[in-house]
Amino acid sequence: MASNDEGGLFIEACRINHACDNNASSDWNANIQKHTIHAVRDIQKSEGITISYLGSRPWPREIRRRVLQDKFKFLCSCSLCALPTKESRKTDRELMNIASIMTLVPGTFIRYPLQAYHYMDQAVQLFSRKGLGVRFLGGLFAEASTINIGHGDLARARILAQRAIPYMIMYHGGDSTQARDNKLRASHPSMGSFYRSLSSDWAKSIHDVPSGLDSDEFEDWLWRREGLQNSQIYSESPASFLSHSIFPTFLALPHRKQTSPEFYESIEGSSQRPRRHWCFLGHILDFETSPPIILVKDINDTIVELSLKANARDIVSRLRKAHTVAILYAQRDGTTTEPEIRLENVSLLQIFPISLIHLIALRDVTQEFTTKRESDNARTCHGCDKKSSPLVRCGRCSFFWYCNKECQVNGWKNKGHKNDCKILQNPDLRMMFLMKWDEFNGAVQFPLSTVVGT
């Protein structure tokens, strides 16, 4: 198996069954040129060895079963898939939260490095809650180490590489490339061309580690949580577009032909009306203009066909690939295998000139840099990432704050605010950011500025 174009038949390994909560890993070890199986937890004497056929994505049950049925022709009945409905739904929500956050990491690594780092922190916390860490934590710690190296922080880089090592050994083997690379990174984090290749904004020497901190304080330092509200999980905050209750993925939307008391309340006769706000967000992959059909992908990679009324000329003229659609009070049509949303009222749809990943990250970034710290009303300067008071806010978008002109120039030139500021001046996008989505006083539509005020 010298390249991706070659393969092999592994007689013993191919007989190992699948489980979504697998007790072993399956991997190709390039160093020793062998296919390896490693236990990722204690396996009881009467328990069969299982691996995952699904790769590295933490899918909810409905998607896992569909993929396994399509690719391998069996209906999974492992302990994770066999959970009672109520417990399974809770687990699915947690897995979708994790999947959403992990989707954001590569897309924000360069443009919003601090935000990407916080997403890694969120994923680590969520995986630790679910006890699924062995499969994913090694990669997350390694990636967190890498981003610190890129911005010059050798202290955090070494600690995170050290944390990655036992997971890499357990999942890939002690003689694997993954284990070897992280051992090298833990010993010499400044080696290689990636050191300070992104910036020197986080520069710290390898020994510049604070002392006298308790475990929680140390984790706050390690993950740069200063200014975050109680180490907030973004997917649990109504202010974040990662909130699956307010910004549901396609599979979490109410179905048009089913009763959904979580979303609707009954009024006269058989009519229903929304009882709260929700909004579907999708990344435009492709579109047709006649009839208007938009192919979008949600944050969990479900591809959905969006059908509009034939006279939606204004919407059609603004369609662009890689932009984001927002649909208020969206309903699910079609099936899980043929996802579809049919929209009659185009006033419930808006298109934003930004990719979905960048939109979600930008919302979380503005939340962090706008929110005051409760203890002293200090905000975080977007230019230097330090807490201070008083700060001066950007006069154009009003979302970001700065210590001085020098910090403002740094934010404008080096931290992406030149592009973000223009996007944040879009009236509907501003209201998407400012609207209190968890407070409901009646349904709204676009343009939001004419409904909810400024």
Side-chain angles (χ1 to χ4, degrees), residues 376-379 387-391:
D376 56 6
N377 285 331
R379 288 187 173 91
K387 279 284 183 182
S388 183
S389 181
L391 298 178

Side-chain angles (χ1 to χ4, degrees), residues 210-230:
S211 58
L213 302 180
D214 63 29
S215 59
D216 289 340
E217 291 170 338
F218 185 81
E219 291 302 305
D220 287 346
W221 169 82
L222 180 65
W223 292 105
R224 304 177 184 276
R225 293 173 183 164
E226 183 184 9
L228 293 180
Q229 301 300 308
N230 300 319

Side-chain angles (χ1 to χ4, degrees), residues 407-449:
C407 284
Q408 191 168 12
V409 170
N410 187 45
W412 186 263
K413 289 185 176 180
N414 302 320
K415 294 197 168 186
H417 192 54
K418 181 178 180 180
N419 294 323
D420 294 341
C421 188
K422 182 178 180 180
I423 294 170
L424 289 168
Q425 293 175 58
N426 179 302
D428 271 327
L429 189 66
R430 288 181 63 82
M431 295 318 304
M432 288 280 289
F433 283 19
L434 296 172
M435 182 171 164
K436 295 181 179 179
W437 290 92
D438 55 340
E439 297 180 7
F440 186 76
N441 295 306
V444 298
Q445 63 183 26
F446 293 107
L448 289 174
S449 56

